[in-house]
Amino acid sequence: MNAGGIDEIIGATLILAGGVISVISALGIIRFPDVYTRSHAATKSTTLGVLLSLVGAFLYIWMTENYISVRLILGIVFVFITAPVSGHLMIRAAYRSKVKMTEDTVGDELQAVLNNKPEGHQ
Protein backbone atom coordinates (compact mmCIF):
# COMPACT_ATOMS: atom_id res chain seq x y z
CA MET A 1 0.00 0.00 0.00
CA ASN A 2 1.37 3.40 -0.92
CA ALA A 3 1.45 6.51 1.25
CA GLY A 4 -1.58 8.03 -0.48
CA GLY A 5 -3.67 4.99 0.41
CA ILE A 6 -2.65 5.15 4.05
CA ASP A 7 -3.51 8.86 4.15
CA GLU A 8 -6.98 8.11 2.82
CA ILE A 9 -7.49 5.33 5.36
CA ILE A 10 -6.46 7.56 8.27
CA GLY A 11 -8.74 10.38 7.17
CA ALA A 12 -11.66 8.07 6.41
CA THR A 13 -11.27 6.26 9.75
CA LEU A 14 -11.38 9.52 11.71
CA ILE A 15 -14.38 10.76 9.73
CA LEU A 16 -16.16 7.42 10.22
CA ALA A 17 -15.42 7.46 13.97
CA GLY A 18 -16.80 11.00 14.16
CA GLY A 19 -19.95 9.91 12.36
CA VAL A 20 -20.45 6.92 14.66
CA ILE A 21 -20.00 9.05 17.78
CA SER A 22 -22.44 11.63 16.41
CA VAL A 23 -25.06 8.91 15.83
CA ILE A 24 -24.54 7.61 19.37
CA SER A 25 -24.95 11.18 20.60
CA ALA A 26 -28.21 11.55 18.69
CA LEU A 27 -29.48 8.35 20.30
CA GLY A 28 -28.53 9.77 23.70
CA ILE A 29 -30.48 12.93 23.00
CA ILE A 30 -33.54 10.85 22.17
CA ARG A 31 -33.24 8.33 25.00
CA PHE A 32 -32.12 10.37 28.02
CA PRO A 33 -34.93 11.43 30.39
CA ASP A 34 -34.35 15.11 31.19
CA VAL A 35 -32.84 18.28 29.79
CA TYR A 36 -29.66 17.94 31.85
CA THR A 37 -28.65 14.52 30.59
CA ARG A 38 -29.76 15.34 27.05
CA SER A 39 -27.57 18.41 27.05
CA HIS A 40 -24.67 16.29 28.23
CA ALA A 41 -25.14 14.01 25.23
CA ALA A 42 -25.61 16.96 22.91
CA THR A 43 -22.48 18.82 23.95
CA LYS A 44 -19.85 16.30 25.02
CA SER A 45 -20.20 13.49 22.53
CA THR A 46 -21.35 15.62 19.61
CA THR A 47 -18.34 17.86 20.13
CA LEU A 48 -16.08 14.83 19.98
CA GLY A 49 -17.85 13.53 16.87
CA VAL A 50 -17.60 16.83 15.02
CA LEU A 51 -13.97 17.30 16.07
CA LEU A 52 -13.02 13.83 14.84
CA SER A 53 -14.72 14.50 11.51
CA LEU A 54 -13.00 17.86 11.10
CA VAL A 55 -9.60 16.48 12.15
CA GLY A 56 -10.05 13.60 9.69
CA ALA A 57 -10.84 16.04 6.88
CA PHE A 58 -7.93 18.27 7.89
CA LEU A 59 -5.43 15.40 7.95
CA TYR A 60 -6.70 14.01 4.66
CA ILE A 61 -6.35 17.36 2.89
CA TRP A 62 -2.98 18.00 4.51
CA MET A 63 -1.50 14.60 3.66
CA THR A 64 -2.90 14.22 0.15
CA GLU A 65 -2.88 17.80 -1.14
CA ASN A 66 -0.03 19.25 0.98
CA TYR A 67 -2.40 22.06 1.88
CA ILE A 68 -3.13 23.28 5.40
CA SER A 69 -6.72 24.43 5.58
CA VAL A 70 -7.02 27.40 7.90
CA ARG A 71 -10.82 27.16 7.66
CA LEU A 72 -10.76 23.65 9.11
CA ILE A 73 -8.40 24.72 11.89
CA LEU A 74 -10.71 27.60 12.75
CA GLY A 75 -13.70 25.25 12.63
CA ILE A 76 -11.97 22.85 15.03
CA VAL A 77 -11.08 25.65 17.45
CA PHE A 78 -14.55 27.23 17.19
CA VAL A 79 -16.39 23.96 17.90
CA PHE A 80 -13.98 23.01 20.68
CA ILE A 81 -14.57 26.30 22.49
CA THR A 82 -18.20 27.14 21.80
CA ALA A 83 -20.04 23.81 22.10
CA PRO A 84 -19.18 23.03 25.75
CA VAL A 85 -19.66 26.66 26.81
CA SER A 86 -23.07 26.91 25.13
CA GLY A 87 -24.13 23.61 26.69
CA HIS A 88 -23.08 24.86 30.10
CA LEU A 89 -25.02 28.10 29.66
CA MET A 90 -28.16 26.28 28.52
CA ILE A 91 -28.04 23.95 31.51
CA ARG A 92 -27.42 26.84 33.87
CA ALA A 93 -30.43 28.67 32.44
CA ALA A 94 -32.57 25.54 32.75
CA TYR A 95 -31.46 25.05 36.36
CA ARG A 96 -32.16 28.66 37.29
CA SER A 97 -35.56 28.38 35.60
CA LYS A 98 -36.23 25.46 37.95
CA VAL A 99 -36.59 22.79 35.28
CA LYS A 100 -37.19 19.54 37.14
CA MET A 101 -34.55 16.83 37.23
CA THR A 102 -35.48 13.21 36.71
CA GLU A 103 -36.36 11.13 39.76
CA ASP A 104 -33.19 9.09 39.21
CA THR A 105 -30.95 12.09 39.96
CA VAL A 106 -28.82 11.27 42.99
CA GLY A 107 -27.73 14.72 44.18
CA ASP A 108 -27.92 18.41 43.48
CA GLU A 109 -24.50 19.90 44.19
CA LEU A 110 -25.29 23.27 42.64
CA GLN A 111 -28.09 24.02 45.10
CA ALA A 112 -25.63 24.28 48.02
CA VAL A 113 -23.39 26.60 46.01
CA LEU A 114 -26.26 28.89 45.03
CA ASN A 115 -27.61 29.00 48.60
CA ASN A 116 -24.22 30.21 49.93
CA LYS A 117 -23.81 33.09 47.48
CA PRO A 118 -22.33 36.38 48.75
CA GLU A 119 -24.40 39.51 49.24
CA GLY A 120 -25.31 41.49 46.13
CA HIS A 121 -25.35 38.48 43.77
CA GLN A 122 -28.43 36.84 42.34
Side-chain angles (χ1 to χ4, degrees):
M1 187 176 280
N2 60 6
I6 295 173
D7 298 344
E8 290 176 3
I9 290 173
I10 291 171
T13 303
L14 287 172
I15 293 170
L16 180 65
V20 168
I21 290 174
S22 294
V23 168
I24 292 170
S25 174
L27 291 174
I29 293 169
I30 294 169
R31 301 273 307 176
F32 285 153
D34 63 353
V35 67
Y36 304 104
T37 53
R38 287 180 182 160
S39 177
H40 180 77
T43 55
K44 302 255 186 218
S45 55
T46 303
T47 301
L48 179 62
V50 170
L51 288 177
L52 282 175
S53 297
L54 289 175
V55 168
F58 174 77
L59 290 176
Y60 175 78
I61 292 171
W62 182 34
M63 290 190 273
T64 58
E65 305 290 328
N66 291 328
Y67 175 74
I68 295 178
S69 175
V70 176
R71 289 181 183 173
L72 282 174
I73 292 172
L74 289 174
I76 291 167
V77 170
F78 183 74
V79 168
F80 187 70
I81 292 172
T82 59
V85 172
S86 64
H88 174 79
L89 291 175
M90 286 188 301
I91 290 303
R92 188 176 176 101
Y95 186 84
R96 290 194 175 235
S97 298
K98 297 185 180 14
V99 174
K100 297 289 182 196
M101 295 180 188
T102 184
E103 292 82 26
D104 297 332
T105 302
V106 176
D108 185 3
E109 296 176 7
L110 189 57
Q111 184 177 15
V113 173
L114 291 178
N115 289 339
N116 293 329
K117 56 189 169 193
E119 293 293 323
H121 289 79
Q122 290 188 357

